[in-house]
Amino acid sequence: MVLSTIEEKRRNDETFRLLVESVQDYAIFVLSPEGKVVTWNTGAERIKGYAASEITGQHFSVFYTQEAKDSGWPQRELEIAAAMGRFSDEGWRVRKDGTQFWASVVITALRSPDGDLWGFSKVTRDLTERRAMEERTQELNRELRGKMAQLSESRTQLELRNLELQRLSAQLVHVQDEERRRLARDLHDDLGQVVSALKINLDTAPDFESRADAIYLTETALAKIRNLSYLMHPPLLDESGLLAALHVFLEGFGKRSKLRISFDYNPLSFPRLPSELETAIFRVVQEAITNVHRHSGSEDARIEVHQQADRVFVRVRDFGVGMPMPPPSSGVGLSAIKERIKQRGGEVRIVSAEPGTLLEAVIPLF
């Protein structure tokens, strides 16, 4: 009876192994706790281009872009999966021949009954065609809305558009007012204290040493003014373009906030864009990463800026507590992002991720 049970279990295990190995639409494989490939199925060979003998024993980071590897992102995925039990994401992955494809990835931690980490299962699906179809559908929907607007050009429609314009203008004024209030608070609570101390110091300075203190306070005030000026409109944005401005901003933001930020962009030789478009993209990233730091509780954030033939994709992902769905309509930062992108004919969507929240903005180039 015991031998029969063992034989039946062995047959079931063999059947399951054959089933996994024969699946062609999904790359299904097992990683060691260190991230090295242990098993490899037919779907993995078809999607990624590696034979089992070529990839077994290699670290799974070979499937990631160079920017992701440089930022240590593959290892961070394993850390999140080990801590949370499961990690899922969509993003660019790299085949053996160097071509990239859009992948849906699920990583699951494999543990013993005692809780020891045995490794990870990884399931990858090629969604390149689906993503292209979604983008084409969005493009057709935009064209259809444009045609409908042209056909519906009437007095009633114009009145409705005027009402909508008034509403958006009021919302924009509200956002601007809130930004002015925030700037006024910063100037009053931070810079104002420094200037007040400077005035007292100057009023009571009897000797050179006290005047030296006043000079130091003056230099501190000037530094804070320059910092506020940079946050309002960084000079690098005009001088060197979007990429340079984002690198400097994210580096400084990461140091101030202790947030670990991964930045990925495509193409590698990122071109200059129209000034207004570069400003819009910079503001989206600035507002989104500020929201991540203030509200998500996440230790990590990932930013992607990818340019295609006729549009730019901006994706900001955190791995924190997530956002209630549907997302709240209030909030200066979120409203500013949506209004800014809408003015350029683009779209913004916010969805739950596992874990955290994903913000994606699609902005036409023309």
Side-chain angles (χ1 to χ4, degrees):
M1 183 66 177
V2 174
L3 291 176
S4 175
T5 302
I6 294 175
E7 179 65 17
E8 182 179 358
K9 183 178 183 303
R10 187 189 66 79
R11 289 178 179 176
N12 289 339
D13 291 344
E14 181 66 13
T15 300
F16 180 76
R17 184 185 66 81
L18 292 173
L19 174 63
V20 171
E21 289 182 353
S22 64
V23 172
Q24 296 190 13
D25 292 332
Y26 293 81
I28 304 174
F29 51 99
V30 173
L31 302 174
S32 70
E34 297 78 23
K36 294 183 178 180
V37 177
V38 177
T39 68
W40 198 248
N41 78 327
T42 303
E45 182 174 348
R46 184 185 69 83
I47 293 174
K48 297 180 181 291
Y50 292 92
S53 59
E54 297 176 301
I55 196 64
T56 301
Q58 292 198 45
H59 197 271
F60 82 115
S61 60
V62 299
F63 310 135
Y64 290 72
T65 63
Q66 188 60 47
E67 292 75 24
K69 288 188 284 188
D70 290 343
S71 67
W73 183 246
Q75 186 61 35
R76 187 57 184 158
E77 288 185 351
L78 297 185
E79 292 172 1
I80 294 174
M84 307 295 292
R86 186 173 185 271
F87 173 87
S88 67
D89 192 25
E90 289 187 9
W92 292 106
R93 297 296 184 270
V94 181
R95 297 186 179 92
K96 177 185 175 183
D97 61 4
T99 59
Q100 296 187 13
F101 66 101
W102 189 261
S104 171
V105 175
V106 178
I107 301 176
T108 304
L110 303 177
R111 295 187 179 275
S112 68
D114 297 330
D116 296 331
L117 181 64
W118 283 353
F120 303 89
S121 68
K122 193 165 190 274
V123 180
T124 302
R125 187 180 181 189
D126 186 351
L127 297 182
T128 306
E129 292 184 2
R130 191 196 75 177
R131 182 175 174 85
M133 291 177 61
E134 290 176 350
E135 293 175 4
R136 179 57 179 163
T137 300
Q138 293 177 0
E139 182 179 353
L140 291 174
N141 285 335
R142 284 193 294 271
E143 293 177 0
L144 179 60
R145 287 195 295 268
K147 296 296 183 183
M148 292 177 61
Q150 293 175 7
L151 293 173
S152 302
E153 199 69 35
S154 64
R155 182 176 180 178
T156 301
Q157 187 66 22
L158 288 173
E159 291 175 354
L160 291 174
R161 286 181 179 275
N162 286 333
L163 290 174
E164 178 68 7
L165 180 60
Q166 292 173 8
R167 187 187 69 80
L168 290 176
S169 297
Q171 184 179 0
L172 181 58
V173 169
H174 173 73
V175 171
Q176 292 172 337
D177 288 343
E178 289 297 325
E179 289 294 329
R180 292 190 184 101
R181 289 192 189 98
R182 186 172 68 180
L183 180 58
R185 264 197 317 271
D186 290 343
L187 290 171
H188 178 271
D189 297 341
D190 192 358
L191 188 58
Q193 293 182 12
V194 176
V195 175
S196 296
L198 172 62
K199 183 178 185 302
I200 295 172
N201 202 303
L202 289 172
D203 289 342
T204 59
D207 52 33
F208 175 81
E209 182 178 352
S210 296
R211 287 195 298 275
D213 291 340
I215 292 172
Y216 170 77
L217 290 173
T218 303
E219 291 174 344
T220 302
L222 290 175
K224 290 180 180 295
I225 290 173
R226 285 194 294 267
N227 186 51
L228 285 173
S229 175
Y230 179 86
L231 291 177
M232 293 179 67
H233 189 83
L236 270 180
L237 199 57
D238 295 327
E239 298 169 2
S240 303
L242 175 65
L243 213 57
L246 283 178
H247 274 301
V248 172
F249 168 71
L250 294 176
E251 180 181 359
F253 191 92
K255 290 179 180 178
R256 293 190 302 272
S257 66
K258 308 303 181 184
L259 190 67
R260 290 178 294 206
I261 303 174
S262 170
F263 179 34
D264 178 61
Y265 56 90
N266 191 48
L268 293 180
S269 56
F270 205 89
R272 290 298 304 264
L273 301 173
S275 175
E276 291 184 359
L277 179 56
E278 289 190 334
T279 300
I281 295 173
F282 183 88
R283 294 304 182 199
V284 168
V285 173
Q286 186 182 46
E287 292 286 355
I289 202 67
T290 300
N291 280 345
V292 169
H293 173 57
R294 289 178 176 173
H295 307 300
S296 74
S298 177
E299 297 178 354
D300 299 272
R302 190 178 68 202
I303 297 170
E304 300 174 27
V305 179
H306 290 179
Q307 179 190 347
Q308 296 187 356
D310 59 346
R311 69 197 70 185
V312 176
F313 289 87
V314 181
R315 303 173 82 237
V316 180
R317 164 85 189 267
D318 68 65
F319 304 88
V321 297
M323 180 179 289
M325 291 294 150
S329 58
S330 60
V332 174
L334 186 58
S335 297
I337 290 174
K338 289 184 174 180
E339 180 63 25
R340 189 180 298 275
I341 299 306
K342 186 173 182 179
Q343 288 178 356
R344 297 197 61 86
E347 298 176 350
V348 176
R349 70 185 186 102
I350 301 173
V351 297
S352 290
E354 295 186 35
T357 304
L358 169 67
L359 180 146
E360 182 175 64
V362 183
I363 313 170
L365 285 175
F366 309 106

